Amino acid sequence: MPGLLGEYDLRVTARARAASLRPAVTLADVAREAGVDQSTVSRVLRDDHRARATDETRARIRETADRLGYVPNASARSLAVRKTSTIGLLIPNVSGVIYADVIKGAADAASALGYVLVVADGSELGRANDAVRKLVLEGRVDGLLLASGTLTDQVTDDLLGSTGNVVVLNRQIAGKVPQVIEDDEYGMYLGTRELVDAGHRRIACLAGPPDVDTSRRRVKGYKRAMREAGLTVTAGLVVHHDFDEASGYAGMLALLGQQPQPTAVAAASLAAAVGAMAAARDQGIVIPDDLSMVAFHDAPLANYLCPPLTTIAMPLEELGRQAMQMLHRRLVGEPGPAAVTVSDPSPIVVRRRSVGPPPG
Amino acid sequence: MPGLLGEYDLRVTARARAASLRPAVTLADVAREAGVDQSTVSRVLRDDHRARATDETRARIRETADRLGYVPNASARSLAVRKTSTIGLLIPNVSGVIYADVIKGAADAASALGYVLVVADGSELGRANDAVRKLVLEGRVDGLLLASGTLTDQVTDDLLGSTGNVVVLNRQIAGKVPQVIEDDEYGMYLGTRELVDAGHRRIACLAGPPDVDTSRRRVKGYKRAMREAGLTVTAGLVVHHDFDEASGYAGMLALLGQQPQPTAVAAASLAAAVGAMAAARDQGIVIPDDLSMVAFHDAPLANYLCPPLTTIAMPLEELGRQAMQMLHRRLVGEPGPAAVTVSDPSPIVVRRRSVGPPPG
DNA sequence: CTGTTAGCGCCTTCAG
DNA sequence: CTGAAGGCGCTAACAG
């Protein structure tokens, strides 16, 4: 076995580079060595259709390139063709369990379309700002996928203008910013319905920050389910916090402080739900006996919680894939819709053991 | 407030770009507009020391550049100076909770040193291979940080040769590959000692894959603690699985199937520990009453588990930072050590509620 | 202090 | 079918 990662050509090339610290082998080198012109080499190596060079010539060129360990230089090519064939994915917190799927979807699509995908961490505003400037404006990438569910409207709004090389993931934004969204409203509707179907009437919503679009849409879905069931959402039943464990913990405490206590809660994020479960536990409340819970978004982790958490799984991978495809379309000038909502697969609730009938 | 993300200049530039789909404004444009030569513009905009241009000239150039919304083109610059000032970070699974810290450390150091950091997902071998080729070999990045704790020795070995632009994070590799490692052995030693200090004698180890270096070092630490305590590690006491929840679950089941059952387990990864806790629960075993547990690596999640998990926190952020610094040193040709182990902060056990005295 | 002159490595007409 | 020539946008000597 020739090594899992390194295929043959890769290793050879690396060695060639390492051995001689020279500026790497260039097109001219190959041309000289093969006794042809640079442009010819360029053409055959790129399979340029107008280069039906003699089979003999092509073979010789290919062989020489291989032997010398030629690898095209991305900067030079980019400069010449005015594009980099790399696209960036900006994510608020790269290590959020939720993002694994969108990264995978985007990466798959990217590689299928001939791009290389790089992801940038946008957890801090400063860093996000920097990333955008360094990546898009300076032309390190041809386009940007913005998965900043947590940035406020103001931000993206300012940033985007009507640039055609950015597509926004799962944020509904006024104006003509290209965007692909999922039906968060429906997802949360489904999750909440799971709770009303189990017989709950006093159902709370553990929401995200009030000014974040995704949070708003999820709350909307929650409210629709409540309304449809003839349930009223009284003040205090929806509490706004952040999308992390600590916030979920605090939010749950707030919810539990009310009279009468809710018998079920729909959490707008998985991390918050984890925190919420811990809070409940600390208050001596057992799930699902005393309290039922569903969380928005699914991940392996949910299956190992105590108890295993019923979640609503969103088509995150498809989101990433379609965003990438839309970006590509725009980059090559195909028109296409300015916004699509991914509905296949549609949101689905993954039933585990965190919801039961209301107590008593 | 002018928008959180978009500072003024950023927005203006974006607008200028978007408005006119022209090839963006170039150095020549600015020069013409300002009535000076291109090279002069280049110099003042870069603060070239040899360009103590008239204050008046400098001001005019700056103003013109701003007004036109000039942004240097990264490809052109890279081609000219033969470096990109961007470096890549290759991670097996970008969304692992554990990696947040190393990304942060690396990103901080990168930006302090004037680099932009991009991370690439190396979860699949194919993708990792591709990333290396596209990023390093084609010169999209000046160097690579390899945080592929899960790739086998063979891989990295083949890949690296003695190239100077790669540094490996936390893998001990023979040969002269630049590397920064943490003291996983000591960390695991500490975690295991926590267990022996609590009075346990039959302590199991939930290890990672046997051929992965980090796993081996952790097992070594576990064994040392056992030996020092005069405890023998009998067959079956260390079980090898993977670093994820499902593996942890399976591994725990295997451990629990033994006679006599271990009274404590040291897990080599946080994710595996999560799975293991679930397995214990499913078997009616309560932690810490019936079984104690510690896990390698810390993350917010650990605090919200049931019960909150005692972990051993490693200096992950520092690992990322130092790796980046070492890479930089190598890139600029400073000698420096070929391998450093980060020992500050040193591993520390974060005591929560998952360890108690042995039952009975 | 500032302008001139060459490239960096590759692609792309345009001739031959 | 292939070679010659020019240019992508920027930097870096070298003159003036």
Side-chain angles (χ1 to χ4, degrees):
Chain A
M1 185 166 62
L4 293 178
L5 206 182
E7 274 145 26
Y8 186 65
D9 60 329
L10 182 59
R11 279 151 54 201
V12 167
T13 307
R15 295 246 170 77
R17 278 252 170 141
S20 58
L21 239 39
R22 272 171 301 147
V25 13
T26 165
L27 219 41
D29 297 333
V30 180
R32 193 178 325 112
E33 185 80 7
V36 294
D37 187 89
Q38 223 187 82
S39 54
T40 306
V41 179
S42 171
R43 282 186 288 238
V44 329
L45 256 31
R46 262 178 313 120
D47 285 315
D48 193 313
H49 27 283
R50 289 159 302 189
R52 307 221 51 72
T54 316
D55 279 354
E56 196 275 322
T57 309
R58 298 163 61 90
R60 181 157 37 93
I61 290 178
R62 289 242 160 74
E63 182 275 323
T64 320
D66 273 12
R67 183 159 49 77
L68 264 40
Y70 169 75
V71 178
N73 175 298
S75 297
R77 188 201 295 265
S78 298
L79 186 55
V81 302
R82 322 172 111 248
K83 62 190 180 92
T84 60
S85 292
T86 111
I87 80 101
L89 170 56
L90 185 63
I91 292 195
N93 66 106
V94 173
S95 292
V97 280
I98 278 332
Y99 290 104
D101 286 336
V102 358
I103 292 174
K104 180 169 191 330
D108 283 349
S111 103
L113 292 167
Y115 295 94
V116 10
L117 182 79
V118 301
V119 0
D121 182 288
S123 46
E124 297 145 53
L125 255 19
R127 192 161 350 271
N129 189 351
D130 217 53
V132 171
R133 169 170 202 97
K134 294 299 194 49
L135 294 180
V136 186
L137 266 21
E138 295 186 359
R140 279 184 175 77
V141 301
D142 293 339
L144 232 205
L145 263 21
L146 257 184
S148 39
T150 223
L151 300 180
T152 63
D153 287 348
Q154 182 63 38
V155 176
T156 37
D157 221 51
D158 276 351
L159 174 62
L160 303 176
S162 49
T163 332
N165 51 187
V166 173
V167 356
V168 172
L169 278 71
N170 204 27
R171 312 214 63 233
Q172 231 153 194
I173 295 181
K176 305 189 52 66
V177 184
Q179 52 199 254
V180 11
I181 62 175
E182 347 162 288
D183 202 343
D184 284 27
E185 203 235 292
Y186 180 59
M188 197 65 164
Y189 166 81
L190 243 37
T192 308
R193 267 202 47 170
E194 189 73 10
L195 264 12
V196 334
D197 287 352
H200 295 270
R201 301 192 51 80
R202 190 158 175 81
I203 303 171
C205 178
L206 193 51
D211 60 338
V212 169
D213 166 70
T214 47
S215 172
R216 281 194 298 245
R217 277 150 55 209
R218 289 167 203 174
V219 170
K220 219 161 122 194
Y222 155 80
K223 285 185 173 161
R224 177 156 69 90
M226 293 294 274
R227 195 182 330 116
E228 269 189 18
L231 269 20
T232 80
V233 351
T234 57
L237 222 40
V238 8
V239 23
H240 288 279
H241 278 264
D242 216 325
F243 285 144
D244 59 24
E245 289 93 349
S247 296
Y249 192 95
M252 185 54 124
L253 252 28
L255 251 21
L256 259 23
Q258 305 186 194
Q259 285 307 334
Q261 281 188 356
T263 64
V265 3
S269 83
L270 188 54
V274 170
M277 290 175 79
R281 207 153 44 226
D282 287 354
Q283 300 297 308
I285 291 177
V286 358
I287 298 174
D289 302 354
D290 306 323
L291 184 79
S292 288
M293 174 122 85
V294 305
F296 197 86
H297 277 155
D298 189 50
L301 173 64
N303 202 27
Y304 298 92
L305 261 17
C306 170
L309 223 201
T310 292
T311 60
I312 103 103
M314 299 299 294
L316 257 16
E317 187 171 336
E318 195 54 28
L319 177 73
R321 181 189 326 287
Q322 292 199 23
M324 185 40 159
Q325 289 167 344
M326 173 182 276
L327 181 53
H328 171 67
R329 257 183 267 118
R330 305 192 69 93
L331 289 178
V332 300
E334 286 176 28
V340 326
T341 121
V342 11
S343 54
D344 182 29
S346 71
I348 200 180
V349 359
V350 183
R351 294 189 179 82
R352 284 190 271 246
R353 301 207 301 270
S354 63
V355 2
Chain B
M1 184 167 65
L4 293 178
L5 208 182
E7 274 146 26
Y8 185 65
D9 61 331
L10 183 59
R11 277 150 56 200
V12 167
T13 307
R15 295 248 169 77
R17 278 249 171 145
S20 59
L21 238 42
R22 273 170 301 146
V25 13
T26 165
L27 219 42
D29 297 333
V30 180
R32 193 178 326 112
E33 184 80 8
V36 295
D37 187 88
Q38 220 188 82
S39 56
T40 305
V41 179
S42 170
R43 282 185 288 238
V44 328
L45 257 30
R46 263 179 311 120
D47 285 316
D48 192 313
H49 27 283
R50 289 160 304 187
R52 308 222 50 73
T54 315
D55 280 353
E56 196 275 323
T57 309
R58 298 163 63 91
R60 182 158 37 91
I61 291 179
R62 290 240 159 74
E63 183 275 322
T64 319
D66 273 11
R67 183 159 48 78
L68 264 39
Y70 169 76
V71 178
N73 176 298
S75 298
R77 189 200 296 263
S78 297
L79 185 56
V81 302
R82 325 175 108 250
K83 62 192 180 95
T84 59
S85 292
T86 111
I87 81 101
L89 170 56
L90 186 63
I91 291 196
N93 67 105
V94 173
S95 292
V97 281
I98 277 333
Y99 290 104
D101 286 336
V102 359
I103 292 175
K104 180 166 191 334
D108 283 349
S111 104
L113 292 167
Y115 294 94
V116 10
L117 181 79
V118 301
V119 0
D121 181 288
S123 46
E124 298 145 52
L125 255 18
R127 191 161 351 271
N129 189 350
D130 216 54
V132 171
R133 170 171 202 95
K134 295 298 194 49
L135 294 180
V136 185
L137 264 21
E138 296 186 359
R140 279 185 175 76
V141 300
D142 294 338
L144 233 205
L145 263 21
L146 257 184
S148 41
T150 222
L151 300 180
T152 62
D153 286 348
Q154 182 62 38
V155 175
T156 37
D157 221 52
D158 276 350
L159 174 62
L160 303 175
S162 49
T163 331
N165 51 188
V166 173
V167 355
V168 172
L169 277 72
N170 204 27
R171 313 213 64 232
Q172 232 153 192
I173 295 181
K176 303 189 54 65
V177 184
Q179 53 200 255
V180 12
I181 62 175
E182 349 161 288
D183 201 342
D184 283 28
E185 202 235 292
Y186 180 59
M188 197 65 165
Y189 166 80
L190 244 35
T192 308
R193 266 202 49 170
E194 189 73 11
L195 264 12
V196 333
D197 287 352
H200 295 271
R201 300 192 52 80
R202 190 159 177 79
I203 303 171
C205 178
L206 193 51
D211 60 337
V212 169
D213 166 69
T214 47
S215 172
R216 281 195 298 245
R217 277 149 55 209
R218 289 167 203 175
V219 171
K220 219 161 122 193
Y222 155 80
K223 285 185 173 161
R224 177 157 67 91
M226 294 292 275
R227 195 183 329 118
E228 269 188 17
L231 269 20
T232 81
V233 352
T234 57
L237 222 41
V238 8
V239 23
H240 288 278
H241 279 264
D242 215 325
F243 285 145
D244 58 25
E245 289 93 349
S247 295
Y249 191 96
M252 185 55 123
L253 252 27
L255 251 20
L256 259 23
Q258 305 186 191
Q259 287 304 335
Q261 282 188 352
T263 64
V265 3
S269 83
L270 188 53
V274 170
M277 291 175 80
R281 206 152 45 224
D282 287 354
Q283 299 297 307
I285 291 177
V286 359
I287 298 173
D289 302 356
D290 305 323
L291 184 80
S292 288
M293 173 123 87
V294 305
F296 196 86
H297 277 157
D298 189 49
L301 173 64
N303 202 29
Y304 298 92
L305 260 17
C306 170
L309 224 200
T310 292
T311 60
I312 103 101
M314 299 299 293
L316 257 15
E317 187 171 335
E318 195 55 27
L319 177 72
R321 182 189 325 286
Q322 291 199 25
M324 185 47 173
Q325 288 167 346
M326 173 183 275
L327 181 54
H328 170 67
R329 256 182 266 118
R330 304 193 70 93
L331 289 177
V332 300
E334 286 176 26
V340 326
T341 122
V342 10
S343 55
D344 182 28
S346 71
I348 200 180
V349 0
V350 183
R351 292 189 180 84
R352 284 190 271 247
R353 302 208 300 269
S354 62
V355 1

